[in-house]
Amino acid sequence: GTLTYRGLMGRVDALASQLARAGVRRGDFVPLVMAGGPELLVAMLAVLRSAAVFVPLDEQWPGPRLRAMVDACDPAVVLLSPGAAPGGWTVPALAVDPVSGADPEPAHASSARPMPAPPRPDELAYGFYTSGSTGAPKCALNLHSGLANRLLAMGRRFGASPRNVVLQNSRHTFDSSLWQLLWPLTCGSRVVIPRAHDILDLTATVEVIERHRVTMTDFVPTILTALVELLDSRPELVDGLASLRMLLVGGEEIAPESVRALQRLLPHLRVTNTYGPTEASIGSVFHEVAPQDRAPVPIGRPIDNTWAIVLDEHGEPARAGEIGEICIGGACLGTGYLGDPDRTDRVFVGNPFPELPGKRMYRTGDLGHYGTNGLLYFDGRRDQQVKIGGVRVELTEIEHAIASHPSVREAKVLVSDHGGGQHLDQEGLQHQRHQQRHQDDQRHLAHQRTLAP
């Protein structure tokens, strides 16, 4: 179906009135337990219209995990996909009307609650859950000012043209979906929202791009490599991507050979490497990949009104070429984690550099260095966090989950590289268990020998 701007805002205002009647107030958190789709966009904008804070969740996640996330939000209401069963929640649940059908009638002033004043730049806009090192996911909170800065910077960089057609190519529980859904609306463009099960079907993705003449989308490097392999095996699909002009890549270290292969097939395609954690409004470091770029490809320079610095082990700015921790700040910086001040204070720390704007900075835990060319490079992680298909995963969270089973004494999660990407490898886990058992047996034999007469 197709939704006009007028139709979209009619639905947004109608849902915002429902939220007001349900008791949603300024600054409240509203979980969106949905499957994605156009209704998700209506829900996001209605929550923002209410000066509240949306938190996207996936209705397919396990029940206990979902309930814990919803309870942490302490919401007045939960928003669900059309047709979802409203039961099972500790608070009222409201299914968002489907976008198909006639536009809703405008709300009459006598029947509608007055809407709050528009949100201020320093108020919260949204939260996204990410993997947590303690076994519990953490909800990173971001401000209207940060989101606006990111979207406006994109308009200046890529052109705010009504001719843009953007494909939402990320799951709605990843913050990269935010720019795909909201940035087109800041410049009169179109956004194409596929069915949820089509997002990882690359053949279907090519067909959607061709059908809607998509000009811009986003891939994690693993998916980009898979797309290049698909086009190599099925060259007849290349023409379906002829409308693409801009491609953002992020979430993992980029493979320059995949980018060059794709640009040979699509000579007019601009590819931009992006970097930035969920804690800082989607991402704030960009680099347009150049033909001369070799591995590792730079992650680039901070966008407008933001900054990134590399600090050595003493907390001092590292020299060019010296690897240290990447710390970021500026307009895109979020506020921390929902209900977790201790974790917030560990990574959102005071900014000791008066020449850099902002009172705080975020310690990303990422290692990097600045080259002599003034570009920032990514050099891995300091901790056990990894990226699997562009998704931030704390290995210790998985270990906590496995170890919680009564039949498991200890758990160790390993990452292996094969097929052009990183995977949590069950065979590696099994090998580790056998290796540990062998080592235990050897220690047991050595102990017996020690005690032998």
Side-chain angles (χ1 to χ4, degrees), residues 13 21 26 56 119 141 154 187 231 235 298 301 339 368 398 405 434:
D13 287 341
R21 290 193 295 272
R26 187 181 206 93
L141 303 176
M154 288 189 65
C187 44
L231 298 177
R301 291 186 172 89
I398 303 175
H405 192 282
H434 288 164

Side-chain angles (χ1 to χ4, degrees), residues 286-287 293 298-301 369-377:
F286 283 55
H287 173 71
D293 285 334
I299 54 179
R301 291 186 172 89
H369 72 274
Y370 271 102
T372 54
N373 55 7
L375 299 176
L376 183 61
Y377 291 78

